[in-house]
Amino acid sequence: MATKSNYTSDLRPFNIVIFGGNGDLSKRKIIPALFHRYADGQLDFDFEVICTARAKLDRTLFLKEVEGFIDSKDTKKIADFFKHLIILEIPKNTLEAYAPLKIRLEKTAKRQRIFYFSVPSGAFSEICNMLKGSGLVTNTSKVVLEKPLGHDLESSKQINEIISQAFTEPQIFRIDHYLGKETVQNIMVLRFANHLFERAWNADNIENIQITVAESLGVEKRSGYYDKTGALLDMVQNHLLQLLCLVTMEPPSNLNPDAVRNEKLKVLESLRPFTKESIRKNVVRGQYTRGSVDDQKLNSYREDIDAYDSETETFVAIKAYIDNWRWKNTPIYLRTGKRMKKRYSDIVINFKELPHNIFQDSKQPLRNKLIIRLQPEERIELVQLSKVPGPGGYRFKPISLKLDFIDSFDSRMPEAYERLIVDVIRGNQTLFMRYDELAAAWEWIESINTHWRSQVPLSLYESGTWGPGDQILEKDTKWKTN
Ligand code: BG6
């Protein structure tokens, strides 16, 4: 039995049904996240995790696989948690095949129902029809949708219409796991709970902002999905744009879901769309070739996916502008790529040079930099100039003031999915996307997608490098490379 805790009060008994229960995401992230919340005493009430699968699964093998992804040695607790886990075969989309699910859910009819769609969005429509047709969607039910929701604005609209026939907007949780990362939530705390930065957070004081999500892995086993998607839709349309919103939005008046989402929406609607002309200078698309990461020799993307004519991008860099008062003409650089030299993500705020230098001896430009490191370490770093000790005038050196979360808080950093799934159980939509946000993101992405294949040549880059992002930088600007 999990330890009693004082933070379960607004959580209530639930059954979570995972469609795609046997998939990678379910085994690696969703089920382990539920385990950790359970082990921490937060799910101290009745619940069931119902993993649905098309094929018959061997329970022992399945649990063994899941256990491999759980970061805990407490086998007793894992075994207790697994008592809440049910595997249910739903071989096809017929009301008959859904009957066992109906019986299962109706046995505990008072619990809220959470339907987690961890399947490609093409499958949403059939599942929704079956859930509705079986009378399984109640007023308190919720649905969690994994990205990508469609492949363009039009298809995302269609998916949204289908979902809306079964669920109302307050019941829909569009998940972007970046919003569940502790440091990402900390961006709001840094900006809106501290006096220091917000006054300087604008075009008058900030030269540019750089957002990087670099991965050292390649496409791994996801070639079927990835080759149809590419980095623009896989990473920029969702994760990078969400980071951009949190860094640049106006302060919401409170933390209510709509107060926050209204502000994010305004940012997305103010993004300057690309034209056939502007895209050439401001967008880079790349694809990895052979190379090495950590001294390991690696194949090219085309070899990895066994398709030698693929034009899919594994790297994107974009120089974006937000056309509003606060950010007028401030470049916001977005960069993401696979097979980069190292895995790291951060947001760098480059402040403008001070208007006047009284230290004539020093050639060092007088400017600060704030680095919000999201991964692998979670840290905030303020780079400021300091005097080098000793006589003979003023010589400066950039010194970093570092706040490492791991050192400052004596607790394990929860995985993004843990926070987000608990928010679903609680019914808090603050960290989930509303449809109008999603549509605005698609609209901007479409201004890139429409033109870039004809206007921006694919730049090949060697695995284990930082990719071809330099092409869009202004003179004097440098990417921070870890
Ligand atoms: C996923 C993308 O959403 O995010 C993957 O589909 C990517 O391609 C992953 O690797 C990165 O997530 P994280 O949390 O490891 O940075």
Side-chain angles (χ1 to χ4, degrees), residues 147 177-178 181 213 215 222 225-226 234-235 239 338 343 345 375:
K147 72 154 190 71
H177 78 276
Y178 265 60
K181 291 182 190 269
V213 178
E215 299 185 85
R222 299 161 77 217
Y225 155 78
Y226 197 87
D234 186 48
M235 297 296 289
H239 306 326
K338 294 211 182 273
R343 172 179 184 255
S345 309
Q375 52 198 26

Side-chain angles (χ1 to χ4, degrees), residues 2 32 39 51 94 138-139 141 165 188 190 268 284 361 372 385 393 414 434 446-447 468:
C51 294
T94 61
T138 59
N139 287 343
S141 297
Q165 284 161 18
M188 280 214 275
L190 177 82
L268 293 166
V284 180
D361 300 349
I372 305 168
L385 289 179
R434 212 168 50 193
E446 245 170 58
S447 75

Side-chain angles (χ1 to χ4, degrees), residues 305-327:
I305 65 161
D306 200 17
Y308 293 84
D309 54 357
S310 172
E311 289 278 305
T312 301
E313 78 287 352
T314 59
F315 176 97
V316 184
I318 300 171
K319 184 171 166 189
Y321 288 95
I322 299 171
D323 284 332
N324 67 13
W325 202 310
R326 188 189 279 256
W327 296 114

Side-chain angles (χ1 to χ4, degrees), residues 336-386:
T336 184
K338 294 211 182 273
R339 278 286 171 73
M340 313 252 84
K341 196 166 181 168
K342 256 188 176 176
R343 172 179 184 255
Y344 88 94
S345 309
D346 65 16
I347 298 169
V348 180
I349 315 288
N350 284 311
F351 287 90
K352 284 192 168 154
E353 197 168 344
L354 289 181
H356 174 63
N357 184 357
I358 62 164
F359 305 98
Q360 296 298 335
D361 300 349
S362 166
K363 296 281 167 286
Q364 185 94 27
L366 304 180
R367 49 161 72 125
N368 300 116
K369 189 190 279 205
L370 179 73
I371 303 166
I372 305 168
R373 173 64 71 100
L374 309 177
Q375 52 198 26
E377 324 84 37
E378 314 207 32
R379 163 203 304 157
I380 288 182
E381 197 178 326
L382 179 64
V383 183
Q384 50 146 30
L385 289 179
S386 212

Side-chain angles (χ1 to χ4, degrees), residues 25 37 39 79 84 153 284 391 396 430 433 452 459:
L25 186 71
R37 290 300 88 220
H84 294 262
L153 181 59
V284 180
F396 297 129
T430 305
M433 271 175 289
W452 75 338
S459 304

Side-chain angles (χ1 to χ4, degrees), residues 35-48:
F35 165 77
H36 282 293
R37 290 300 88 220
Y38 171 77
D40 217 22
Q42 208 169 7
L43 307 185
D44 189 15
F45 45 74
D46 293 330
F47 72 93
E48 254 170 29

Side-chain angles (χ1 to χ4, degrees), residues 232-479:
L232 182 68
L233 306 194
D234 186 48
M235 297 296 289
V236 181
Q237 191 269 348
N238 34 73
H239 306 326
L240 276 90
L241 281 186
Q242 287 297 318
L243 295 179
L244 177 146
C245 285
L246 293 180
V247 175
T248 59
M249 70 184 188
E250 294 300 316
S253 53
N254 54 53
L255 267 196
N256 290 341
D258 281 336
V260 175
R261 299 190 296 182
N262 287 344
E263 296 308 332
K264 289 201 290 168
L265 176 64
K266 285 184 210 160
V267 172
L268 293 166
E269 288 178 339
S270 312
L271 279 168
R272 188 183 299 170
F274 288 98
T275 61
K276 206 170 166 183
E277 289 70 39
S278 68
I279 203 164
R280 283 190 218 131
K281 276 211 291 196
N282 296 302
V283 177
V284 180
R285 58 191 198 106
Q287 189 188 73
Y288 64 79
T289 59
R290 287 182 185 180
S292 54
V293 176
D294 292 335
D295 293 331
Q296 203 196 337
K297 288 213 174 331
L298 294 161
N299 282 340
S300 69
Y301 173 73
R302 292 176 187 176
E303 287 165 324
D304 278 350
I305 65 161
D306 200 17
Y308 293 84
D309 54 357
S310 172
E311 289 278 305
T312 301
E313 78 287 352
T314 59
F315 176 97
V316 184
I318 300 171
K319 184 171 166 189
Y321 288 95
I322 299 171
D323 284 332
N324 67 13
W325 202 310
R326 188 189 279 256
W327 296 114
K328 190 81 195 156
N329 290 334
T330 309
I332 321 268
Y333 296 98
L334 305 175
R335 175 175 63 152
T336 184
K338 294 211 182 273
R339 278 286 171 73
M340 313 252 84
K341 196 166 181 168
K342 256 188 176 176
R343 172 179 184 255
Y344 88 94
S345 309
D346 65 16
I347 298 169
V348 180
I349 315 288
N350 284 311
F351 287 90
K352 284 192 168 154
E353 197 168 344
L354 289 181
H356 174 63
N357 184 357
I358 62 164
F359 305 98
Q360 296 298 335
D361 300 349
S362 166
K363 296 281 167 286
Q364 185 94 27
L366 304 180
R367 49 161 72 125
N368 300 116
K369 189 190 279 205
L370 179 73
I371 303 166
I372 305 168
R373 173 64 71 100
L374 309 177
Q375 52 198 26
E377 324 84 37
E378 314 207 32
R379 163 203 304 157
I380 288 182
E381 197 178 326
L382 179 64
V383 183
Q384 50 146 30
L385 289 179
S386 212
K387 181 181 175 299
V388 177
Y394 283 92
R395 278 163 288 123
F396 297 129
K397 193 175 165 202
I399 303 273
S400 283
L401 284 177
K402 286 186 191 160
L403 169 68
D404 249 299
F405 291 110
I406 288 293
D407 298 343
S408 309
F409 301 100
D410 184 22
S411 57
R412 152 185 180 273
M413 277 286 177
E415 275 267 341
Y417 276 92
E418 295 177 40
R419 164 76 196 253
L420 295 174
I421 292 174
V422 168
D423 278 356
V424 175
I425 303 170
R426 234 185 221 133
N428 182 350
Q429 290 186 306
T430 305
L431 298 177
F432 296 83
M433 271 175 289
R434 212 168 50 193
Y435 181 67
D436 49 6
E437 270 184 82
L438 187 72
W442 272 124
E443 211 161 309
W444 185 70
I445 288 289
E446 245 170 58
S447 75
I448 301 175
N449 223 353
T450 314
H451 303 297
W452 75 338
R453 278 188 190 78
S454 64
Q455 302 302 317
V456 183
L458 186 71
S459 304
L460 299 176
Y461 64 96
E462 200 181 316
S463 288
T465 64
W466 292 114
D470 289 354
Q471 299 167 28
I472 53 167
L473 294 180
E474 312 230 309
K475 202 160 65 66
D476 298 338
T477 313
K478 283 199 190 100
W479 289 109

